[in-house]
Amino acid sequence: MKTITLFLTAVIASLLFSQCSKDGSAETFSGTGLSGSTARFAIVANTLYTVDNSSLNVFSITNGEKPENIGHYELGLNIETISSYGNNLYIGSQNSVYFVDVQNPKAPRLMGIVNHFTSCDPVVSDGTYAYSTIRSGNGCNWGGNQLDVIDVSFPMNPYVLKSYPMNNPKGLAVSGKWLFVCDEGIKMFDKTDPQNLKIVDTKAGVPANDMIADGNTLIVVADDGIYTYDISGGKLQLKGKILKSL
């Protein structure tokens, strides 16, 4: 978990730097940062959102050198992950998925909740559907192992559209019509029909934990290092890897 956290921190820092204003200063940010599904922070426009065990914390990063804490909101116990899409946050806990509207950064609004049995629970979204993996093990051993597809087209009333059995799923990512899941390797799905996900490729030998999809590139964080794949052709084509030294 430490390796994942350090890597994702580096990715966020890199993205923040790349989004600095072009006038030579490093104080104004724009756009939305990318992070893995198991991250505990997300960036929407000029606002950084972080989660701890029970709450959502909000920081203005308009001035990148002096982040300002502008909010603290209690959600519930056992909060684990946070991701974003548009003006919405998707927050995973061991018991629920929270859907939060942050169109007004200073006043996050809880829109809906989907409850599930106790399990580890990262979540990502493409705006119409959210995808959440639920797994047993590592302190989350009360639940099963599955992928939930959640309809969030009406965020005030989200519901699980369909569940798919998995082995021991961890992080996941979406890009275009593709869904990627770390499940004893990497599984690539065509999610055109969310009620009939189709596996189009797999990489069984990669000990993947989390991933970030950025355009035609998939960045995978694994036990033994970092892998990058070209996904432009609808397959997982290895571009490179950086393995940890022994």
Side-chain angles (χ1 to χ4, degrees):
M1 186 65 186
K2 183 178 180 181
T3 300
I4 296 174
T5 302
L6 290 174
F7 171 72
L8 291 177
T9 300
V11 170
I12 289 294
S14 175
L15 286 162
L16 281 173
F17 182 80
S18 69
Q19 292 167 3
C20 289
S21 61
K22 303 299 183 181
D23 62 2
S25 69
E27 297 195 358
T28 302
F29 302 97
S30 62
T32 298
L34 297 176
S35 62
S37 64
T38 60
R40 296 182 68 87
F41 45 82
I43 296 172
V44 179
N46 294 319
T47 307
L48 168 67
Y49 300 90
T50 70
V51 291
D52 54 35
N53 184 62
S54 63
S55 58
L56 173 67
N57 303 286
V58 187
F59 299 85
S60 171
I61 53 173
T62 300
N63 182 338
E65 295 183 353
K66 296 180 180 179
E68 178 187 359
N69 190 333
I70 59 175
H72 175 89
Y73 305 89
E74 291 296 324
L75 290 174
L77 295 176
N78 301 317
I79 302 297
E80 294 184 322
T81 65
I82 182 172
S83 65
S84 66
Y85 184 89
N87 289 316
N88 295 324
L89 300 178
Y90 302 88
I91 299 173
S93 79
Q94 289 186 15
N95 302 98
S96 307
V97 178
Y98 299 86
F99 304 91
V100 179
D101 180 354
V102 291
Q103 188 167 353
N104 181 349
K106 293 184 178 181
R109 182 169 62 97
L110 179 63
M111 295 184 292
I113 302 174
V114 171
N115 296 314
H116 56 73
F117 47 73
T118 302
S119 289
C120 296
D121 180 21
V123 56
V124 296
S125 178
D126 58 17
T128 303
Y129 300 96
Y131 306 87
S132 174
T133 56
I134 298 173
R135 69 184 175 93
S136 59
N138 294 328
C140 310
N141 56 357
W142 294 102
N145 295 282
Q146 66 191 54
L147 166 68
D148 284 345
V149 179
I150 304 169
D151 191 317
V152 294
S153 54
F154 297 97
M156 298 293 289
N157 187 33
Y159 64 94
V160 176
L161 181 68
K162 187 170 180 178
S163 296
Y164 294 84
M166 295 278 147
N167 296 316
N168 192 242
K170 298 178 181 178
L172 67 171
V174 292
S175 178
K177 70 176 186 177
W178 310 120
L179 167 67
F180 306 90
V181 180
C182 300
D183 186 31
E184 297 184 346
I186 305 170
K187 294 179 178 178
M188 180 177 183
F189 295 89
D190 183 334
K191 63 179 180 65
T192 303
D193 180 358
Q195 296 195 72
N196 185 29
L197 296 181
K198 297 179 179 179
I199 293 182
V200 296
D201 202 3
T202 61
K203 296 296 179 184
V206 181
N209 292 306
D210 199 11
M211 54 185 72
I212 298 172
D214 184 15
N216 289 322
T217 299
L218 183 70
I219 304 170
V220 178
V221 183
D223 289 340
D224 59 352
I226 300 168
Y227 296 69
T228 60
Y229 292 89
D230 183 342
I231 56 176
S232 60
K235 296 289 184 181
L236 293 162
Q237 299 294 328
L238 183 65
K239 295 172 62 177
K241 58 185 176 181
I242 303 174
L243 299 180
K244 295 191 295 186
S245 59
L246 297 178

